[in-house]
Amino acid sequence: MSKTRQDFRDKTAQDCLAALAAMPRKQHLTQARLLIYKKGQRPRDLGEQFDLLDGLTKDPVLTEFDRLYALIAGGHKLSEQVSPLSSDWLDRMVVALHEVLAMPIGYGLRKDRTHLVFSALNVMMNLDLATGAHQGDRLAQISFDEAASLNLRRMTPYLFNSVCNLVKVVGIALLHRPDAAHRQAERCAKLMSYAIEINNSEHWWVFSRFKAPRRVDDLSLRAAFGSFRNTMKRLDAIEQAANADAAARRPAFEAVADLCVGQAQPAQKAALIAAASRVLDRTVT
């Protein structure tokens, strides 16, 4: 490995943080960002990953964007583990939400408020479900307001990535506000359409001449295609719930939950689906 890419996969969080502290500032920044944004670079143990990300939320070398993404990534790890620490972490994210909403729009997936907002809300909605759904109604309203107020003239091709998160967020929010399904389904469809529209290469002629495969059989399925396909499945489920008759309404929203809640681990999905069912007991009759 190069000097800027140490192998931390078998290290403890304490070892990782100590190694970062001993690095020159530029190397520290590069390595810390790898640990935040590339989970394959982190310790294999989920508990050590969480402790590492917790430490990175306080790292003064990182930018505010980086520290907020470390907070989001830590929330993902807690959700995956169905951890009893989830409630305290959610409280931290609620406190940090005003910082998230105040961040600037910028060009770059990890430098843009739009992606940051819906990444944070995605984790928060899942943590809220896992801890009793006490803030779901408020978070749902914030999610709807944010989706409605996007400045389309400031959006970039990365909107595609953001909308993939946005649709998951809206799907969970609708468990709390099922009567909003028609309006939110229409808005999500328009945003996904617009995200595809602006997700074109500005230098297509360069790509077509130097990067395009020669034959169809040489093509490979990109991760972005999987995200697109899953997002469209979620959007279809939301639309079906919006149009469901009384008899089909409950199973339709259960299908939305099944596609939109966190599911990196089987136990995580099972816990979140059970929590979503309890929410639907209150909101869908």
Side-chain angles (χ1 to χ4, degrees):
M1 285 210 172
S2 73
K3 65 178 182 179
T4 58
R5 293 202 180 191
Q6 295 188 25
D7 189 348
F8 290 144
R9 290 172 294 178
D10 293 315
K11 304 288 187 182
T12 66
Q14 186 175 2
D15 290 339
C16 296
L17 293 169
L20 289 174
M23 292 177 184
R25 185 180 182 87
K26 185 176 180 180
Q27 184 183 356
H28 179 144
L29 184 61
T30 298
Q31 184 64 67
R33 284 175 169 167
L34 285 171
L35 292 168
I36 294 170
Y37 302 120
K38 303 291 184 183
K39 60 185 178 182
Q41 300 284 325
R42 301 179 202 146
R44 292 184 175 90
D45 181 81
L46 285 178
E48 295 295 341
Q49 283 194 42
F50 170 72
D51 289 341
L52 171 60
L53 291 164
D54 188 14
L56 291 173
T57 66
K58 311 174 189 78
D59 188 334
V61 174
L62 293 170
T63 68
E64 191 64 19
F65 267 109
D66 294 328
R67 288 192 291 270
L68 289 169
Y69 271 114
L71 186 68
I72 290 167
H76 274 298
K77 292 301 111 181
L78 288 178
S79 179
E80 288 177 26
Q81 298 174 79
V82 197
S83 170
L85 298 174
S86 295
S87 182
D88 289 342
W89 200 263
L90 176 60
D91 289 342
R92 281 183 65 180
M93 294 194 74
V94 168
V95 171
L97 186 57
H98 75 279
E99 296 176 55
V100 172
L101 297 177
M103 295 300 282
I105 297 173
Y107 192 95
L109 190 62
R110 305 304 182 184
K111 300 177 181 179
D112 179 54
R113 174 193 183 277
T114 302
H115 195 71
L116 180 70
V117 166
F118 289 104
S119 295
L121 286 170
N122 181 36
V123 174
M124 292 174 75
M125 295 295 287
N126 279 288
L127 291 179
D128 178 65
L129 272 180
T131 56
H134 302 299
Q135 304 192 61
D137 196 64
R138 173 175 173 261
L139 292 174
Q141 188 59 55
I142 292 171
S143 302
F144 297 159
D145 290 345
E146 285 297 320
S149 62
L150 290 179
N151 184 344
L152 298 182
R153 295 187 176 183
R154 298 284 308 278
M155 295 297 101
T156 74
Y158 296 103
L159 180 63
F160 174 85
N161 306 73
S162 303
V163 171
C164 289
N165 271 337
L166 184 153
V167 172
K168 286 188 282 189
V169 168
V170 167
I172 299 174
L174 288 174
L175 306 179
H176 303 274
R177 299 275 194 89
D179 291 343
H182 276 289
R183 184 73 188 93
Q184 298 307 316
E186 179 184 31
R187 181 174 291 144
C188 285
K190 287 181 177 179
L191 284 170
M192 192 61 183
S193 175
Y194 187 66
I196 294 169
E197 182 179 346
I198 66 173
N199 194 34
N200 296 315
S201 171
E202 295 179 8
H203 305 289
W204 169 245
W205 68 272
V206 174
F207 183 89
S208 64
R209 286 164 175 75
F210 299 106
K211 293 187 177 181
R214 292 183 178 277
R215 303 177 306 162
V216 172
D217 287 347
D218 294 331
L219 290 169
S220 58
L221 291 178
R222 302 292 301 275
F225 173 72
S227 295
F228 170 77
R229 181 159 56 184
N230 289 333
T231 298
M232 294 311 298
K233 288 178 181 177
R234 295 180 184 110
L235 183 54
D236 286 345
I238 290 170
E239 290 177 339
Q240 288 168 17
N243 295 313
D245 60 24
R249 201 161 185 249
R250 174 64 183 255
F253 278 101
E254 288 174 346
V256 171
D258 185 71
L259 290 168
C260 293
V261 301
Q263 43 203 280
Q265 304 292 337
Q268 174 195 25
K269 182 174 182 179
L272 291 173
I273 289 296
S277 182
R278 291 190 290 271
V279 172
L280 291 173
D281 287 341
R282 293 190 287 103
T283 61
V284 177
T285 56

